[in-house]
Amino acid sequence: MPLIEPWRTAYGADSAVHSILVRLSSSGTHAWGEACPLFAPTYSPEYAASVYETCRQFLLPRIVGREVETADGLLEHVAIFKGNPFAKAAVETAWWMLESKHKGVPLWRLVGGTQPEVSCGEDFGIQDSIDQLLCRIERAIERGYPRVKLKVMRGWDIEVLQAVRGAFPKLTMHIDCNGGYDLRSDWTTLAAFDRFDLAMIEQPLASDDLLEHAELQQRLATPICLDESIKSPKDFAAALKLGSCRAINVKPGRVGGLRNAIRIHDMAGDAGMVAWVGSMLESGVGVAICAALASMPHFTYPADLFPASKFHLHDIVRSPLEIGTDCRVNLSRLDLDIADVVYERLKAIAVANAIIAVR
Ligand code: MG
């Protein structure tokens, strides 16, 4: 899915998003799920082609033709396969969408959502210049976005924060480092982040640095928010025990689907930890899934929900979700077909497809 402009983070620049869509059908109804890793294994060890093959070769042949009554049941069927949360989420989110249609209950209610109006934040990748970033932030503030998130990396960090904080002293903002720093060699920079009154510092260290994150959290006043590090409820339990974070970004793809995302939401609620829903620049299918999740009561920090019109040149769903003038997504007005894909648009950009039928 080509992007309007390249999305630049500590991982490099992406000019297109590579996503895996799964269409499940049962009893005459069909529904779509999505997992959107990146093209290359940079954000996680999984990537678009690996997720596609894992779904095609291993996960779907174990699901197709079986009665699957619950999301937990589905996860049990594929539990023999280690890891691969994005691949499991592609299949599992399609199951939830199908369940929603079968029951005639909107997904946001089915997952236990209580807030049909979801507050959305604004995000900025690495920009060409600090001036460009300041202009864009000003527009976001004028539009009324309740918070801003800035991607940072070595060489695009302290100077940027000084300029942004100087221009907007009261702005609620946080930074996302995408694991780009090292506790020892970048300590001076990490310590300096504490000076900018940030709502949180997202994933400062590498995804397997739970111990180092715990040490960093001890030394910083600003809450650390984990993203890449948390690939399952078990990872989150470890992070809670170690004190590796004080906030959590929950993405259904990264944690193996909605069931695990709900579990992490509940754990965060029990721990009194700030939680919010993140994004992988999904198509309208994935955005609808993330929006439903974000309606749960303990997701209190504004979500990363990006309607296709914001990043994508075109969307593939019939009725893409939009952000209102109040910077909220209103789920109560959406119908059950919100994430229905227009085949012609999908065919125009699809690079591979497979059908797994009942034998
Ligand atoms: Mg992140």
Side-chain angles (χ1 to χ4, degrees):
M1 298 182 289
L3 297 174
I4 295 166
E5 64 178 60
W7 180 239
R8 279 151 66 194
T9 71
Y11 296 129
D14 289 303
S15 56
V17 162
H18 299 255
S19 203
I20 286 72
L21 291 150
V22 172
R23 179 188 187 271
L24 290 183
S25 64
S26 172
S27 311
T29 309
H30 75 265
W32 294 85
E34 176 174 7
C36 194
L38 298 177
F39 174 70
T42 50
Y43 173 85
S44 91
E46 289 179 282
Y47 59 103
S50 82
V51 168
Y52 176 80
E53 277 305 317
T54 304
C55 288
R56 190 183 70 84
Q57 285 193 53
F58 304 110
L59 306 184
L60 288 166
R62 284 185 84 94
I63 301 298
V64 172
R66 288 183 111 134
E67 286 295 329
V68 179
E69 300 286 348
T70 62
D72 281 319
L74 186 147
L75 293 175
E76 271 168 37
H77 283 314
V78 297
I80 186 169
F81 304 116
K82 290 194 174 69
N84 287 283
F86 276 97
K88 287 174 181 171
V91 178
E92 197 250 18
T93 53
W95 178 88
W96 279 95
M97 293 297 250
L98 193 57
E99 182 75 353
S100 159
K101 283 191 176 179
H102 275 162
K103 288 199 163 141
V105 177
L107 184 63
W108 71 273
R109 283 203 184 280
L110 201 59
V111 300
T114 54
Q115 38 186 19
E117 292 201 18
V118 175
S119 177
C120 304
E122 178 68 303
D123 289 35
F124 297 99
I126 314 289
Q127 307 287 310
D128 290 337
S129 68
I130 291 179
D131 279 348
Q132 183 183 46
L133 177 64
L134 293 176
C135 282
R136 289 182 167 189
I137 292 175
E138 191 159 13
R139 281 210 297 275
I141 294 170
E142 280 164 13
R143 274 210 59 192
Y145 277 103
R147 64 96 176 136
V148 155
K149 160 171 162 176
L150 310 177
K151 294 283 188 182
V152 295
M153 58 184 245
R154 288 185 188 128
W156 179 267
D157 44 31
I158 301 302
E159 198 189 339
V160 174
L161 286 174
Q162 274 165 345
V164 174
R165 192 41 99 204
F168 310 106
K170 296 226 159 76
L171 174 69
T172 301
M173 65 170 175
H174 84 265
I175 54 171
D176 185 2
C177 313
N178 287 112
Y181 296 94
D182 178 84
L183 180 58
R184 312 287 162 217
S185 56
D186 295 307
W187 168 245
T188 314
T189 304
L190 293 163
F193 286 155
D194 243 357
R195 296 202 307 261
F196 297 102
D197 189 26
L198 301 170
M200 58 188 77
I201 303 168
E202 188 175 335
Q203 196 68 41
L205 311 175
S207 61
D208 54 358
D209 280 358
L210 273 191
L211 285 173
E212 287 86 346
H213 276 111
E215 189 181 333
L216 181 62
Q217 184 65 92
Q218 283 257 321
R219 293 159 77 174
L220 292 185
T222 311
I224 289 174
C225 171
L226 289 178
D227 176 352
E228 284 92 329
S229 289
I230 307 301
K231 297 166 291 293
S232 66
K234 273 193 181 174
D235 283 346
F236 188 47
L240 284 173
K241 193 158 190 181
L242 291 168
S244 309
C245 61
R246 289 190 202 136
I248 175 79
N249 166 333
V250 183
K251 298 174 182 172
R254 195 192 70 229
V255 302
L258 281 168
R259 184 68 194 93
N260 283 344
I262 294 165
R263 219 167 251 140
I264 291 172
H265 163 276
D266 295 346
M267 292 162 73
D270 291 345
M273 183 177 284
V274 173
W276 56 289
V277 171
S279 153
M280 295 296 295
L281 306 191
E282 296 88 348
S283 78
V285 175
V287 175
I289 292 164
C290 288
L293 177 66
S295 73
M296 295 192 73
H298 196 67
F299 287 125
T300 49
Y301 190 72
D304 276 348
L305 289 178
F306 308 127
S309 57
K310 187 161 170 178
F311 287 113
H312 296 274
L313 277 176
H314 17 247
D315 201 358
I316 52 169
V317 298
R318 206 172 303 283
S319 45
L321 181 143
E322 292 297 341
I323 293 183
T325 50
D326 56 354
C327 302
R328 285 165 181 268
V329 167
N330 192 331
L331 297 170
S332 62
R333 287 192 225 119
L334 305 178
D335 62 32
L336 294 176
D337 278 333
I338 169 74
D340 216 24
V341 168
V342 181
Y343 274 108
E344 297 71 44
R345 289 191 218 154
L346 177 58
K347 269 190 212 147
I349 53 171
V351 293
N353 73 86
I355 297 172
I356 315 294
V358 182
R359 267 175 286 177

